[in-house]
Amino acid sequence: MSTVSLRGAAQVLLPPEDGLPYLRRPGELRLEPGSVTVSGGVIAALDDDPAADVVIDVAGGAIVPGFVDCHTHLPFAGWRAEEYEQKVTGVPYEDIARRGGGIAASARALAETSDEAVLAQARAIRAEMLAHGTTTFEAKTGYGLSVEGELRLVRLARELGPAAVTGLFAHAVPPGYRAAGWMDEVDRLAAQADVDALDIYVESVAFRNEDLDRLGAIARREGVPLRAHVEQFNANRSVPVALAAGARSVDHLACLHPDDLAPLAAAECAAVLLPGAEFLGAEETAPGRALVDAGAICVLATDCNPGTSPVISLPLVIGLAVRRYGWSAREALAACTLNAAWVLGMSDRIGSIELGKRADLVVLDTPVEHLPYRFGRNPVRAVIAGDVVWQWP
Ligand SMILES: [Zn+2]
């Protein structure tokens, strides 16, 4: 591994102090001019090394931690662009579903696609994510919709090589099952599959709070974190159930009930907000400002999936979050670096610029405030993951 000197940045994004697992006051992140030296794959100095093998001139730009995308639905097969056009031109979701759309369409595509083709698509997406600064990502199962299909997805997800594989075995109730009957299969899948976390989609069209409670017991038995897709389209009051079950994160929250905000903010449970899904689905807007003000562990992710959020770019997600939640650039950056790393149980190794941490770094060609402001532009000029792994061509 070479020694890399990132030299002369206008801003280096630094935590208020070393060793914090997450930030409840993300505005306390510091932005200071400086340089960073990478050696042996770790952050070796917050300074320039004149003898470095590789020098990247960051003049006028910023050095920030590599982005952590802790909520994606990779791997999946194909896209659903025709469905998106139907949706925005006013075709009701029930009609789209009746024509075979929705999660069922992705499940069908997956079943009809070879392992090699599924992995090739996922790796191409993964390369695009890297070029937008994502150095760590999570993958979920969920489009298998059968015991064999889900076990296949666990295997494919492992092969893709994310930092964490989440078993979203309770994504949609497969044909021929009722929710409770499928939860028996989920119980067996969780006991047998090699996953790093368990996840469930709680919504009127999917699973119920009692299934969430049951998955919490399964996750405790298996010794893995519980995560949950909740309050996306309706206030189902799933947050208290998730908190009682000890969830690591509750994701979506566009319809978070006001009474559940303070308990969530006080809990050691992340609020994972997905503004790409909110925007493209014309959903409600999660109370991002109120969550930060209340001290919640706020997180941003792409929710990359072929249905509701075909989004790979965390810079774009930061732009949406800043505008729609009323966040500062610093608050948005904390949400997709250190706080997202905590969701994956990795914030002791990645997520912030600290001596000895893994050298996952992104070089921006502008100060961080330009990132949300010049909306939709990719400001990433170099990505370091131990070594330089990507540079603007
Ligand atoms: Zn999701």
Side-chain angles (χ1 to χ4, degrees), residues 71 73 140 229 252 303:
H71 184 143
H73 289 256
K140 293 185 199 295
H229 290 64
H252 279 295
D303 195 17

Side-chain angles (χ1 to χ4, degrees), residues 105-347:
S106 288
R108 220 167 32 246
L110 186 75
E112 291 165 359
T113 307
S114 70
D115 289 0
E116 293 68 33
V118 172
L119 283 171
Q121 178 178 349
R123 286 181 178 129
I125 293 169
R126 200 267 162 281
E128 287 182 55
M129 290 163 64
L130 188 71
H132 289 77
T134 298
T135 49
T136 299
F137 72 105
E138 176 254 20
K140 293 185 199 295
T141 71
Y143 293 115
L145 283 192
S146 67
V147 170
E148 307 71 46
E150 285 296 291
L151 288 172
R152 177 187 177 217
L153 265 185
V154 172
R155 181 170 52 77
L156 291 177
R158 281 280 171 228
E159 212 163 315
L160 180 61
V165 173
T166 300
L168 177 56
F169 303 132
H171 191 195
V173 182
Y177 283 93
R178 287 171 179 275
W182 178 251
M183 287 304 295
D184 293 340
E185 302 284 11
V186 169
D187 191 327
R188 284 190 281 273
L189 276 165
Q192 145 182 35
D194 167 30
V195 293
D196 304 306
L198 290 167
D199 198 342
I200 183 169
Y201 181 34
V202 184
E203 192 46 85
S204 52
V205 296
F207 293 89
R208 308 152 300 174
N209 284 339
E210 62 197 86
D211 303 316
L212 168 59
D213 184 52
R214 183 172 173 192
L215 192 68
I218 295 170
R220 281 194 296 282
R221 183 193 73 204
E222 297 300 324
V224 295
L226 171 70
R227 303 187 55 186
H229 290 64
V230 297
E231 321 298 54
Q232 183 181 11
F233 301 122
N234 297 286
N236 298 306
R237 303 305 299 273
S238 304
V239 167
V241 180
L243 295 181
R248 174 74 55 90
S249 76
V250 283
D251 303 39
H252 279 295
L253 305 175
C255 297
L256 179 65
H257 192 281
D259 292 351
D260 297 338
L261 195 145
L264 171 57
E268 199 168 48
C269 173
V272 179
L273 308 185
L274 307 167
E278 290 173 11
F279 178 72
L280 290 168
E283 295 174 14
E284 302 293 325
T285 302
R289 182 71 259 158
L291 282 164
V292 167
D293 289 343
I297 304 166
C298 287
V299 175
L300 286 174
T302 60
D303 195 17
C304 179
N305 78 80
T308 56
S309 187
V311 173
I312 57 92
S313 164
L314 279 168
L316 188 77
V317 166
I318 288 169
L320 286 168
V322 164
R323 177 65 272 180
R324 290 167 69 96
Y325 302 151
W327 282 1
S328 68
R330 266 182 257 214
E331 288 166 339
L333 283 163
C336 55
T337 56
L338 190 65
N339 286 4
W342 180 77
V343 172
L344 301 181
M346 301 179 72
S347 62

